[in-house]
Amino acid sequence: MRNTSQALSATEPAVLHAFKVDFVPAYSRVRHIRRITAAHLRLWDLPSMIEPATLVVSELVTNASAP
């Protein structure tokens, strides 16, 4: 694991935290995916990102669920 205090190079992605969740697109999954997102952000000590990130996640899951 790379020390996050090191400078990022121009070719290196700036991703410090990530997670992946596979799900069947359905409106009923929106709340669940929001909770998973919020839990990861709390784990990474990024509470200020919970509200904007869960809003974006809600929109993405809702749009993926649309017929």
Side-chain angles (χ1 to χ4, degrees):
M1 183 172 201
R2 187 174 54 77
N3 182 347
T4 58
S5 64
Q6 294 173 339
L8 297 174
S9 71
T11 59
E12 187 174 359
V15 176
L16 302 179
H17 301 290
F19 68 97
K20 178 181 174 183
V21 177
D22 294 324
F23 66 96
V24 176
Y27 293 119
S28 62
R29 302 301 295 170
V30 175
R31 181 183 297 167
H32 182 74
I33 303 302
R34 283 175 56 101
R35 290 178 65 193
I36 291 171
T37 301
H40 277 84
L41 291 168
R42 279 191 295 276
L43 176 68
W44 298 330
D45 196 28
L46 297 169
S48 65
M49 297 303 299
I50 292 173
E51 186 176 338
T54 55
L55 175 63
V56 170
V57 166
S58 293
E59 292 295 322
L60 289 172
V61 175
T62 299
N63 290 342
S65 303

PDB file of all heavy atoms in Angstrom, residues 1-33:
ATOM      1  N   MET A   1       0.846  -1.176   0.000  1.00  0.00           N
ATOM      2  CA  MET A   1       0.000   0.000   0.000  1.00  0.00           C
ATOM      3  C   MET A   1       0.891   1.240   0.000  1.00  0.00           C
ATOM      4  O   MET A   1       1.848   1.324   0.733  1.00  0.00           O
ATOM      5  CB  MET A   1      -0.904  -0.021   1.225  1.00  0.00           C
ATOM      6  CG  MET A   1      -1.862   1.108   1.292  1.00  0.00           C
ATOM      7  SD  MET A   1      -2.997   0.802   2.659  1.00  0.00           S
ATOM      8  CE  MET A   1      -4.292   1.830   2.165  1.00  0.00           C
ATOM      9  N   ARG A   2       0.536   2.199  -0.816  1.00  0.00           N
ATOM     10  CA  ARG A   2       1.320   3.410  -0.964  1.00  0.00           C
ATOM     11  C   ARG A   2       0.966   4.407   0.132  1.00  0.00           C
ATOM     12  O   ARG A   2      -0.165   4.534   0.544  1.00  0.00           O
ATOM     13  CB  ARG A   2       1.018   4.033  -2.330  1.00  0.00           C
ATOM     14  CG  ARG A   2       1.871   5.198  -2.677  1.00  0.00           C
ATOM     15  CD  ARG A   2       1.603   5.649  -4.100  1.00  0.00           C
ATOM     16  NE  ARG A   2       0.212   5.925  -4.371  1.00  0.00           N
ATOM     17  CZ  ARG A   2      -0.419   7.037  -3.986  1.00  0.00           C
ATOM     18  NH1 ARG A   2       0.211   7.956  -3.306  1.00  0.00           N
ATOM     19  NH2 ARG A   2      -1.674   7.229  -4.298  1.00  0.00           N
ATOM     20  N   ASN A   3       1.957   5.105   0.610  1.00  0.00           N
ATOM     21  CA  ASN A   3       1.745   6.156   1.602  1.00  0.00           C
ATOM     22  C   ASN A   3       0.988   7.296   0.933  1.00  0.00           C
ATOM     23  O   ASN A   3       1.426   7.827  -0.069  1.00  0.00           O
ATOM     24  CB  ASN A   3       3.108   6.638   2.134  1.00  0.00           C
ATOM     25  CG  ASN A   3       2.963   7.688   3.198  1.00  0.00           C
ATOM     26  OD1 ASN A   3       1.897   8.257   3.406  1.00  0.00           O
ATOM     27  ND2 ASN A   3       4.049   7.967   3.884  1.00  0.00           N
ATOM     28  N   THR A   4      -0.163   7.688   1.498  1.00  0.00           N
ATOM     29  CA  THR A   4      -0.997   8.717   0.876  1.00  0.00           C
ATOM     30  C   THR A   4      -0.386  10.102   0.941  1.00  0.00           C
ATOM     31  O   THR A   4      -0.854  10.999   0.281  1.00  0.00           O
ATOM     32  CB  THR A   4      -2.394   8.751   1.523  1.00  0.00           C
ATOM     33  OG1 THR A   4      -2.238   8.995   2.914  1.00  0.00           O
ATOM     34  CG2 THR A   4      -3.152   7.478   1.275  1.00  0.00           C
ATOM     35  N   SER A   5       0.662  10.292   1.710  1.00  0.00           N
ATOM     36  CA  SER A   5       1.302  11.599   1.784  1.00  0.00           C
ATOM     37  C   SER A   5       2.273  11.816   0.629  1.00  0.00           C
ATOM     38  O   SER A   5       2.741  12.925   0.417  1.00  0.00           O
ATOM     39  CB  SER A   5       2.030  11.774   3.112  1.00  0.00           C
ATOM     40  OG  SER A   5       3.087  10.848   3.215  1.00  0.00           O
ATOM     41  N   GLN A   6       2.571  10.775  -0.134  1.00  0.00           N
ATOM     42  CA  GLN A   6       3.456  10.916  -1.276  1.00  0.00           C
ATOM     43  C   GLN A   6       2.720  11.639  -2.404  1.00  0.00           C
ATOM     44  O   GLN A   6       1.519  11.490  -2.580  1.00  0.00           O
ATOM     45  CB  GLN A   6       3.906   9.550  -1.789  1.00  0.00           C
ATOM     46  CG  GLN A   6       4.768   8.794  -0.811  1.00  0.00           C
ATOM     47  CD  GLN A   6       5.041   7.382  -1.297  1.00  0.00           C
ATOM     48  OE1 GLN A   6       4.324   6.853  -2.125  1.00  0.00           O
ATOM     49  NE2 GLN A   6       6.078   6.773  -0.766  1.00  0.00           N
ATOM     50  N   ALA A   7       3.438  12.425  -3.167  1.00  0.00           N
ATOM     51  CA  ALA A   7       2.837  13.141  -4.292  1.00  0.00           C
ATOM     52  C   ALA A   7       2.412  12.146  -5.366  1.00  0.00           C
ATOM     53  O   ALA A   7       3.093  11.158  -5.623  1.00  0.00           O
ATOM     54  CB  ALA A   7       3.828  14.138  -4.861  1.00  0.00           C
ATOM     55  N   LEU A   8       1.287  12.421  -5.995  1.00  0.00           N
ATOM     56  CA  LEU A   8       0.814  11.588  -7.087  1.00  0.00           C
ATOM     57  C   LEU A   8       1.462  12.040  -8.382  1.00  0.00           C
ATOM     58  O   LEU A   8       1.611  13.228  -8.634  1.00  0.00           O
ATOM     59  CB  LEU A   8      -0.707  11.704  -7.224  1.00  0.00           C
ATOM     60  CG  LEU A   8      -1.525  11.220  -6.035  1.00  0.00           C
ATOM     61  CD1 LEU A   8      -2.993  11.526  -6.257  1.00  0.00           C
ATOM     62  CD2 LEU A   8      -1.334   9.741  -5.823  1.00  0.00           C
ATOM     63  N   SER A   9       1.851  11.088  -9.220  1.00  0.00           N
ATOM     64  CA  SER A   9       2.407  11.443 -10.514  1.00  0.00           C
ATOM     65  C   SER A   9       1.271  11.758 -11.475  1.00  0.00           C
ATOM     66  O   SER A   9       0.107  11.441 -11.221  1.00  0.00           O
ATOM     67  CB  SER A   9       3.265  10.300 -11.061  1.00  0.00           C
ATOM     68  OG  SER A   9       2.432   9.232 -11.454  1.00  0.00           O
ATOM     69  N   ALA A  10       1.587  12.367 -12.595  1.00  0.00           N
ATOM     70  CA  ALA A  10       0.578  12.750 -13.582  1.00  0.00           C
ATOM     71  C   ALA A  10      -0.117  11.533 -14.178  1.00  0.00           C
ATOM     72  O   ALA A  10      -1.261  11.621 -14.618  1.00  0.00           O
ATOM     73  CB  ALA A  10       1.206  13.591 -14.671  1.00  0.00           C
ATOM     74  N   THR A  11       0.539  10.379 -14.191  1.00  0.00           N
ATOM     75  CA  THR A  11      -0.047   9.187 -14.799  1.00  0.00           C
ATOM     76  C   THR A  11      -0.691   8.250 -13.780  1.00  0.00           C
ATOM     77  O   THR A  11      -1.339   7.294 -14.155  1.00  0.00           O
ATOM     78  CB  THR A  11       1.017   8.402 -15.582  1.00  0.00           C
ATOM     79  OG1 THR A  11       2.068   8.032 -14.688  1.00  0.00           O
ATOM     80  CG2 THR A  11       1.567   9.225 -16.728  1.00  0.00           C
ATOM     81  N   GLU A  12      -0.515   8.529 -12.518  1.00  0.00           N
ATOM     82  CA  GLU A  12      -1.039   7.655 -11.464  1.00  0.00           C
ATOM     83  C   GLU A  12      -2.448   8.101 -11.073  1.00  0.00           C
ATOM     84  O   GLU A  12      -2.688   9.273 -10.836  1.00  0.00           O
ATOM     85  CB  GLU A  12      -0.124   7.728 -10.244  1.00  0.00           C
ATOM     86  CG  GLU A  12      -0.474   6.733  -9.171  1.00  0.00           C
ATOM     87  CD  GLU A  12       0.548   6.759  -8.047  1.00  0.00           C
ATOM     88  OE1 GLU A  12       1.514   7.518  -8.115  1.00  0.00           O
ATOM     89  OE2 GLU A  12       0.339   5.993  -7.088  1.00  0.00           O
ATOM     90  N   PRO A  13      -3.406   7.162 -11.040  1.00  0.00           N
ATOM     91  CA  PRO A  13      -4.752   7.541 -10.633  1.00  0.00           C
ATOM     92  C   PRO A  13      -4.771   8.050  -9.190  1.00  0.00           C
ATOM     93  O   PRO A  13      -3.999   7.613  -8.349  1.00  0.00           O
ATOM     94  CB  PRO A  13      -5.570   6.256 -10.768  1.00  0.00           C
ATOM     95  CG  PRO A  13      -4.610   5.166 -10.987  1.00  0.00           C
ATOM     96  CD  PRO A  13      -3.266   5.758 -11.315  1.00  0.00           C
ATOM     97  N   ALA A  14      -5.662   8.987  -8.908  1.00  0.00           N
ATOM     98  CA  ALA A  14      -5.738   9.605  -7.588  1.00  0.00           C
ATOM     99  C   ALA A  14      -6.747   8.904  -6.688  1.00  0.00           C
ATOM    100  O   ALA A  14      -7.355   9.523  -5.834  1.00  0.00           O
ATOM    101  CB  ALA A  14      -6.093  11.080  -7.740  1.00  0.00           C
ATOM    102  N   VAL A  15      -6.948   7.614  -6.857  1.00  0.00           N
ATOM    103  CA  VAL A  15      -7.904   6.868  -6.054  1.00  0.00           C
ATOM    104  C   VAL A  15      -7.206   6.386  -4.785  1.00  0.00           C
ATOM    105  O   VAL A  15      -6.234   5.646  -4.843  1.00  0.00           O
ATOM    106  CB  VAL A  15      -8.471   5.663  -6.827  1.00  0.00           C
ATOM    107  CG1 VAL A  15      -9.380   4.835  -5.942  1.00  0.00           C
ATOM    108  CG2 VAL A  15      -9.193   6.136  -8.065  1.00  0.00           C
ATOM    109  N   LEU A  16      -7.718   6.837  -3.638  1.00  0.00           N
ATOM    110  CA  LEU A  16      -7.141   6.419  -2.365  1.00  0.00           C
ATOM    111  C   LEU A  16      -8.016   5.373  -1.680  1.00  0.00           C
ATOM    112  O   LEU A  16      -7.523   4.560  -0.927  1.00  0.00           O
ATOM    113  CB  LEU A  16      -6.952   7.634  -1.457  1.00  0.00           C
ATOM    114  CG  LEU A  16      -6.069   8.739  -2.019  1.00  0.00           C
ATOM    115  CD1 LEU A  16      -5.988   9.903  -1.037  1.00  0.00           C
ATOM    116  CD2 LEU A  16      -4.689   8.218  -2.339  1.00  0.00           C
ATOM    117  N   HIS A  17      -9.326   5.433  -1.944  1.00  0.00           N
ATOM    118  CA  HIS A  17     -10.272   4.476  -1.375  1.00  0.00           C
ATOM    119  C   HIS A  17     -11.256   4.080  -2.470  1.00  0.00           C
ATOM    120  O   HIS A  17     -11.656   4.919  -3.262  1.00  0.00           O
ATOM    121  CB  HIS A  17     -11.072   5.091  -0.225  1.00  0.00           C
ATOM    122  CG  HIS A  17     -10.242   5.587   0.911  1.00  0.00           C
ATOM    123  ND1 HIS A  17      -9.577   4.743   1.763  1.00  0.00           N
ATOM    124  CD2 HIS A  17      -9.961   6.831   1.335  1.00  0.00           C
ATOM    125  CE1 HIS A  17      -8.930   5.452   2.666  1.00  0.00           C
ATOM    126  NE2 HIS A  17      -9.151   6.733   2.424  1.00  0.00           N
ATOM    127  N   ALA A  18     -11.652   2.832  -2.458  1.00  0.00           N
ATOM    128  CA  ALA A  18     -12.643   2.371  -3.427  1.00  0.00           C
ATOM    129  C   ALA A  18     -13.322   1.123  -2.894  1.00  0.00           C
ATOM    130  O   ALA A  18     -12.777   0.419  -2.055  1.00  0.00           O
ATOM    131  CB  ALA A  18     -11.979   2.072  -4.764  1.00  0.00           C
ATOM    132  N   PHE A  19     -14.523   0.896  -3.387  1.00  0.00           N
ATOM    133  CA  PHE A  19     -15.209  -0.357  -3.125  1.00  0.00           C
ATOM    134  C   PHE A  19     -16.123  -0.640  -4.296  1.00  0.00           C
ATOM    135  O   PHE A  19     -16.463   0.246  -5.066  1.00  0.00           O
ATOM    136  CB  PHE A  19     -15.984  -0.343  -1.793  1.00  0.00           C
ATOM    137  CG  PHE A  19     -17.176   0.580  -1.760  1.00  0.00           C
ATOM    138  CD1 PHE A  19     -18.447   0.101  -2.008  1.00  0.00           C
ATOM    139  CD2 PHE A  19     -17.017   1.922  -1.452  1.00  0.00           C
ATOM    140  CE1 PHE A  19     -19.547   0.939  -1.966  1.00  0.00           C
ATOM    141  CE2 PHE A  19     -18.103   2.767  -1.397  1.00  0.00           C
ATOM    142  CZ  PHE A  19     -19.373   2.279  -1.663  1.00  0.00           C
ATOM    143  N   LYS A  20     -16.491  -1.888  -4.446  1.00  0.00           N
ATOM    144  CA  LYS A  20     -17.339  -2.308  -5.546  1.00  0.00           C
ATOM    145  C   LYS A  20     -18.491  -3.115  -4.988  1.00  0.00           C
ATOM    146  O   LYS A  20     -18.292  -3.973  -4.121  1.00  0.00           O
ATOM    147  CB  LYS A  20     -16.534  -3.165  -6.522  1.00  0.00           C
ATOM    148  CG  LYS A  20     -17.333  -3.685  -7.682  1.00  0.00           C
ATOM    149  CD  LYS A  20     -16.477  -4.543  -8.587  1.00  0.00           C
ATOM    150  CE  LYS A  20     -17.326  -5.166  -9.662  1.00  0.00           C
ATOM    151  NZ  LYS A  20     -16.537  -6.049 -10.515  1.00  0.00           N
ATOM    152  N   VAL A  21     -19.688  -2.827  -5.474  1.00  0.00           N
ATOM    153  CA  VAL A  21     -20.877  -3.568  -5.067  1.00  0.00           C
ATOM    154  C   VAL A  21     -21.631  -3.956  -6.329  1.00  0.00           C
ATOM    155  O   VAL A  21     -21.993  -3.099  -7.126  1.00  0.00           O
ATOM    156  CB  VAL A  21     -21.800  -2.711  -4.161  1.00  0.00           C
ATOM    157  CG1 VAL A  21     -23.066  -3.469  -3.819  1.00  0.00           C
ATOM    158  CG2 VAL A  21     -21.075  -2.263  -2.914  1.00  0.00           C
ATOM    159  N   ASP A  22     -21.838  -5.239  -6.515  1.00  0.00           N
ATOM    160  CA  ASP A  22     -22.670  -5.712  -7.619  1.00  0.00           C
ATOM    161  C   ASP A  22     -24.097  -5.837  -7.094  1.00  0.00           C
ATOM    162  O   ASP A  22     -24.308  -6.315  -5.975  1.00  0.00           O
ATOM    163  CB  ASP A  22     -22.188  -7.070  -8.114  1.00  0.00           C
ATOM    164  CG  ASP A  22     -20.810  -6.998  -8.752  1.00  0.00           C
ATOM    165  OD1 ASP A  22     -20.523  -5.982  -9.412  1.00  0.00           O
ATOM    166  OD2 ASP A  22     -20.031  -7.955  -8.585  1.00  0.00           O
ATOM    167  N   PHE A  23     -25.065  -5.397  -7.894  1.00  0.00           N
ATOM    168  CA  PHE A  23     -26.457  -5.487  -7.475  1.00  0.00           C
ATOM    169  C   PHE A  23     -27.361  -5.581  -8.688  1.00  0.00           C
ATOM    170  O   PHE A  23     -26.989  -5.158  -9.784  1.00  0.00           O
ATOM    171  CB  PHE A  23     -26.864  -4.284  -6.608  1.00  0.00           C
ATOM    172  CG  PHE A  23     -26.848  -2.967  -7.355  1.00  0.00           C
ATOM    173  CD1 PHE A  23     -28.011  -2.451  -7.904  1.00  0.00           C
ATOM    174  CD2 PHE A  23     -25.673  -2.263  -7.518  1.00  0.00           C
ATOM    175  CE1 PHE A  23     -27.993  -1.252  -8.597  1.00  0.00           C
ATOM    176  CE2 PHE A  23     -25.649  -1.062  -8.202  1.00  0.00           C
ATOM    177  CZ  PHE A  23     -26.817  -0.556  -8.747  1.00  0.00           C
ATOM    178  N   VAL A  24     -28.513  -6.159  -8.489  1.00  0.00           N
ATOM    179  CA  VAL A  24     -29.533  -6.199  -9.524  1.00  0.00           C
ATOM    180  C   VAL A  24     -30.239  -4.849  -9.481  1.00  0.00           C
ATOM    181  O   VAL A  24     -30.725  -4.445  -8.426  1.00  0.00           O
ATOM    182  CB  VAL A  24     -30.538  -7.341  -9.264  1.00  0.00           C
ATOM    183  CG1 VAL A  24     -31.660  -7.318 -10.280  1.00  0.00           C
ATOM    184  CG2 VAL A  24     -29.827  -8.677  -9.260  1.00  0.00           C
ATOM    185  N   PRO A  25     -30.251  -4.114 -10.598  1.00  0.00           N
ATOM    186  CA  PRO A  25     -30.899  -2.798 -10.585  1.00  0.00           C
ATOM    187  C   PRO A  25     -32.379  -2.908 -10.217  1.00  0.00           C
ATOM    188  O   PRO A  25     -33.146  -3.594 -10.879  1.00  0.00           O
ATOM    189  CB  PRO A  25     -30.738  -2.311 -12.024  1.00  0.00           C
ATOM    190  CG  PRO A  25     -29.612  -3.096 -12.588  1.00  0.00           C
ATOM    191  CD  PRO A  25     -29.653  -4.422 -11.885  1.00  0.00           C
ATOM    192  N   ALA A  26     -32.730  -2.287  -9.121  1.00  0.00           N
ATOM    193  CA  ALA A  26     -34.116  -2.269  -8.654  1.00  0.00           C
ATOM    194  C   ALA A  26     -34.271  -1.112  -7.685  1.00  0.00           C
ATOM    195  O   ALA A  26     -33.355  -0.815  -6.920  1.00  0.00           O
ATOM    196  CB  ALA A  26     -34.472  -3.582  -7.963  1.00  0.00           C
ATOM    197  N   TYR A  27     -35.417  -0.452  -7.743  1.00  0.00           N
ATOM    198  CA  TYR A  27     -35.655   0.682  -6.840  1.00  0.00           C
ATOM    199  C   TYR A  27     -35.508   0.275  -5.379  1.00  0.00           C
ATOM    200  O   TYR A  27     -35.087   1.065  -4.542  1.00  0.00           O
ATOM    201  CB  TYR A  27     -37.044   1.282  -7.082  1.00  0.00           C
ATOM    202  CG  TYR A  27     -37.181   1.933  -8.434  1.00  0.00           C
ATOM    203  CD1 TYR A  27     -38.103   1.472  -9.356  1.00  0.00           C
ATOM    204  CD2 TYR A  27     -36.375   3.005  -8.795  1.00  0.00           C
ATOM    205  CE1 TYR A  27     -38.224   2.061 -10.606  1.00  0.00           C
ATOM    206  CE2 TYR A  27     -36.480   3.604 -10.034  1.00  0.00           C
ATOM    207  CZ  TYR A  27     -37.415   3.132 -10.931  1.00  0.00           C
ATOM    208  OH  TYR A  27     -37.522   3.716 -12.156  1.00  0.00           O
ATOM    209  N   SER A  28     -35.817  -0.973  -5.067  1.00  0.00           N
ATOM    210  CA  SER A  28     -35.727  -1.444  -3.683  1.00  0.00           C
ATOM    211  C   SER A  28     -34.286  -1.518  -3.182  1.00  0.00           C
ATOM    212  O   SER A  28     -34.056  -1.633  -1.979  1.00  0.00           O
ATOM    213  CB  SER A  28     -36.387  -2.816  -3.553  1.00  0.00           C
ATOM    214  OG  SER A  28     -35.713  -3.761  -4.368  1.00  0.00           O
ATOM    215  N   ARG A  29     -33.309  -1.430  -4.068  1.00  0.00           N
ATOM    216  CA  ARG A  29     -31.892  -1.528  -3.686  1.00  0.00           C
ATOM    217  C   ARG A  29     -31.276  -0.179  -3.333  1.00  0.00           C
ATOM    218  O   ARG A  29     -30.190  -0.126  -2.777  1.00  0.00           O
ATOM    219  CB  ARG A  29     -31.080  -2.155  -4.824  1.00  0.00           C
ATOM    220  CG  ARG A  29     -31.550  -3.530  -5.247  1.00  0.00           C
ATOM    221  CD  ARG A  29     -31.515  -4.533  -4.144  1.00  0.00           C
ATOM    222  NE  ARG A  29     -30.141  -4.752  -3.749  1.00  0.00           N
ATOM    223  CZ  ARG A  29     -29.770  -5.424  -2.676  1.00  0.00           C
ATOM    224  NH1 ARG A  29     -30.666  -5.943  -1.883  1.00  0.00           N
ATOM    225  NH2 ARG A  29     -28.520  -5.568  -2.365  1.00  0.00           N
ATOM    226  N   VAL A  30     -31.955   0.922  -3.653  1.00  0.00           N
ATOM    227  CA  VAL A  30     -31.385   2.253  -3.452  1.00  0.00           C
ATOM    228  C   VAL A  30     -30.970   2.461  -2.001  1.00  0.00           C
ATOM    229  O   VAL A  30     -29.837   2.867  -1.719  1.00  0.00           O
ATOM    230  CB  VAL A  30     -32.356   3.364  -3.912  1.00  0.00           C
ATOM    231  CG1 VAL A  30     -31.805   4.740  -3.581  1.00  0.00           C
ATOM    232  CG2 VAL A  30     -32.639   3.246  -5.405  1.00  0.00           C
ATOM    233  N   ARG A  31     -31.854   2.193  -1.065  1.00  0.00           N
ATOM    234  CA  ARG A  31     -31.550   2.401   0.355  1.00  0.00           C
ATOM    235  C   ARG A  31     -30.359   1.556   0.793  1.00  0.00           C
ATOM    236  O   ARG A  31     -29.485   2.027   1.513  1.00  0.00           O
ATOM    237  CB  ARG A  31     -32.765   2.073   1.218  1.00  0.00           C
ATOM    238  CG  ARG A  31     -32.491   2.311   2.701  1.00  0.00           C
ATOM    239  CD  ARG A  31     -33.649   1.928   3.569  1.00  0.00           C
ATOM    240  NE  ARG A  31     -34.794   2.760   3.244  1.00  0.00           N
ATOM    241  CZ  ARG A  31     -36.021   2.528   3.645  1.00  0.00           C
ATOM    242  NH1 ARG A  31     -36.281   1.493   4.405  1.00  0.00           N
ATOM    243  NH2 ARG A  31     -37.007   3.320   3.313  1.00  0.00           N
ATOM    244  N   HIS A  32     -30.312   0.320   0.351  1.00  0.00           N
ATOM    245  CA  HIS A  32     -29.234  -0.590   0.739  1.00  0.00           C
ATOM    246  C   HIS A  32     -27.871  -0.079   0.236  1.00  0.00           C
ATOM    247  O   HIS A  32     -26.892  -0.057   0.989  1.00  0.00           O
ATOM    248  CB  HIS A  32     -29.527  -1.984   0.192  1.00  0.00           C
ATOM    249  CG  HIS A  32     -28.521  -3.014   0.567  1.00  0.00           C
ATOM    250  ND1 HIS A  32     -28.445  -3.550   1.828  1.00  0.00           N
ATOM    251  CD2 HIS A  32     -27.534  -3.590  -0.153  1.00  0.00           C
ATOM    252  CE1 HIS A  32     -27.454  -4.426   1.872  1.00  0.00           C
ATOM    253  NE2 HIS A  32     -26.885  -4.464   0.677  1.00  0.00           N
ATOM    254  N   ILE A  33     -27.829   0.339  -1.012  1.00  0.00           N
ATOM    255  CA  ILE A  33     -26.573   0.827  -1.587  1.00  0.00           C
ATOM    256  C   ILE A  33     -26.151   2.131  -0.925  1.00  0.00           C
ATOM    257  O   ILE A  33     -24.959   2.373  -0.683  1.00  0.00           O
ATOM    258  CB  ILE A  33     -26.698   0.983  -3.120  1.00  0.00           C
ATOM    259  CG1 ILE A  33     -27.097  -0.341  -3.781  1.00  0.00           C
ATOM    260  CG2 ILE A  33     -25.408   1.525  -3.720  1.00  0.00           C
ATOM    261  CD1 ILE A  33     -26.156  -1.501  -3.535  1.00  0.00           C
TER     262      ILE A  33
END
